Amino acid sequence: MSKKDEFLTTLKAALSVFAQDQWKQFATEALRDTEVFIIESKDDLIRWHQALQSKQLSKKDFEWLIASKKDEVSLLALKELGLAKVAQDRFINGMLDLVVNTAFKTLL
Amino acid sequence: MTKVIINKSWIKLSAIILTLLLLGCTSIAPFNQIAYEKATSVKARSMLLMSKATQPYTTHKDEIAILLLEAQQGYEYAKGRPKNQQSSAQWAIILSPQRHSLGGFLHKWKLEKTLSSFYIQEAQKLIGRHFDYISSLESGKINKP
């Protein structure tokens, strides 16, 4: 096998593993954030509804909390969008590192 | 011999080009310690001040003004950093009196004079999480030496 072929084969294998690991990690974290949000939201809504019925919470305050929940969705979405950009940067940087390192290992 | 030298030079040149590409291609600002500290510090102060909202707004007017100034500084700091749109948009939501986060809470306190303790506790949980979304985005960014 020529050095050029060895470089391409090694790089292909390394990139495949790297790509899977990188995106899998981001997807797992994003999914976990969403699941936590859903669980917390469910608990919040049950508690607020009970407080509304027992008059611990006014209708106006209840509505404010619900609206705040909507803002929380926006904040979570902005966080995930930002982290997706971080994952993209890590991916590009990691890929460039892989290409350079593989070239040094196999071609030199 | 000449071919080997050319190949080695080509690899070195490629490595330099790739390194330059690597430095130039980021789509979001790197981690910033000051930005992180601003978010956590304003969160702590907000939680403390919110717990006093059973008392009249006017009693805490000065503390509220200081907190709003600090939050505004956090927003301006985030807004001034390049490639930082998501973080500055988060601060904008938290600060706006028209939304339902810290700015909205303080606005409501001003309008209603005092707030109920159950509502305050629940709003603290929510707004605390709102700040956590800012700090966790910041801490997730790439830490450049």
Side-chain angles (χ1 to χ4, degrees):
Chain A
M1 189 188 278
S2 72
K3 281 199 168 189
K4 191 184 149 197
D5 290 339
E6 189 191 342
F7 166 70
L8 291 173
T9 311
T10 311
L11 184 64
K12 196 179 165 189
L15 281 177
S16 168
V17 173
F18 174 75
Q20 281 176 20
D21 286 353
Q22 284 289 303
W23 293 111
K24 195 177 169 185
Q25 192 189 338
F26 168 70
T28 307
E29 283 168 14
L31 199 65
R32 195 185 53 218
D33 281 350
T34 313
E35 281 170 357
V36 168
F37 174 78
I38 291 168
I39 293 166
E40 282 173 348
S41 299
K42 192 184 153 198
D43 293 345
D44 287 344
L45 290 174
I46 292 169
R47 206 170 51 251
W48 299 343
H49 193 253
Q50 284 170 350
L52 182 68
Q53 284 183 325
S54 65
K55 299 202 181 344
Q56 245 187 312
L57 193 64
S58 69
K59 191 171 176 271
K60 207 169 157 189
D61 289 350
F62 177 80
E63 284 168 355
W64 194 97
L65 293 171
I66 296 288
S68 184
K69 206 76 210 164
K70 287 182 193 167
D71 283 341
E72 194 177 335
V73 174
S74 306
L75 288 159
L76 174 62
L78 283 164
K79 177 194 159 182
E80 297 306 331
L81 181 60
L83 291 180
K85 288 190 172 196
V86 174
Q88 180 194 315
D89 287 349
R90 281 190 204 281
F91 181 74
I92 292 168
N93 292 348
M95 209 165 70
L96 288 170
D97 279 349
L98 261 182
V99 173
V100 174
N101 291 337
T102 312
F104 277 109
K105 276 181 198 162
T106 55
L107 297 177
L108 293 180
Chain B
M1 184 66 182
T2 314
K3 201 179 172 185
V4 173
I5 292 167
I6 290 169
N7 272 345
K8 282 190 178 178
S9 305
W10 178 82
I11 289 165
K12 280 179 187 170
L13 184 65
S14 304
I16 292 166
I17 292 168
L18 287 171
T19 308
L20 289 173
L21 277 171
L22 183 131
L23 291 171
C25 71
T26 52
S27 53
I28 190 162
F31 170 74
N32 183 296
Q33 186 66 35
I34 297 169
Y36 180 81
E37 282 168 12
K38 279 186 188 292
T40 52
S41 148
V42 176
K43 177 192 169 182
R45 284 174 175 273
S46 301
M47 296 302 109
L48 189 68
L49 188 58
M50 284 172 77
S51 62
K52 297 175 183 173
T54 49
Q55 298 161 21
Y57 178 89
T58 46
T59 316
H60 299 284
K61 219 175 166 182
D62 293 343
E63 291 167 76
I64 293 163
I66 292 167
L67 177 67
L68 278 173
L69 178 67
E70 284 178 4
Q72 189 68 39
Q73 285 169 343
Y75 168 62
E76 293 298 335
Y77 189 80
K79 206 174 121 188
R81 291 172 61 207
K83 296 179 179 175
N84 201 36
Q85 291 90 340
Q86 285 73 39
S87 297
S88 59
Q90 286 181 317
W91 274 106
I93 292 172
I94 285 184
L95 260 174
S96 170
Q98 317 308 325
R99 305 292 288 252
H100 299 82
S101 190
L102 178 66
F105 178 91
L106 296 174
H107 184 65
K108 187 172 160 65
W109 188 6
K110 189 179 181 180
L111 289 178
E112 297 178 21
K113 315 278 191 286
T114 60
L115 300 169
S116 84
S117 59
F118 183 86
Y119 162 76
I120 293 167
Q121 281 170 24
E122 295 303 311
Q124 278 177 312
K125 284 177 201 161
L126 285 171
I127 295 168
R129 272 185 233 145
H130 293 179
F131 278 105
D132 291 343
Y133 289 129
I134 294 187
S135 52
S136 57
L137 171 56
E138 196 58 44
S139 63
K141 290 175 184 172
I142 295 170
N143 198 349
K144 282 194 177 170

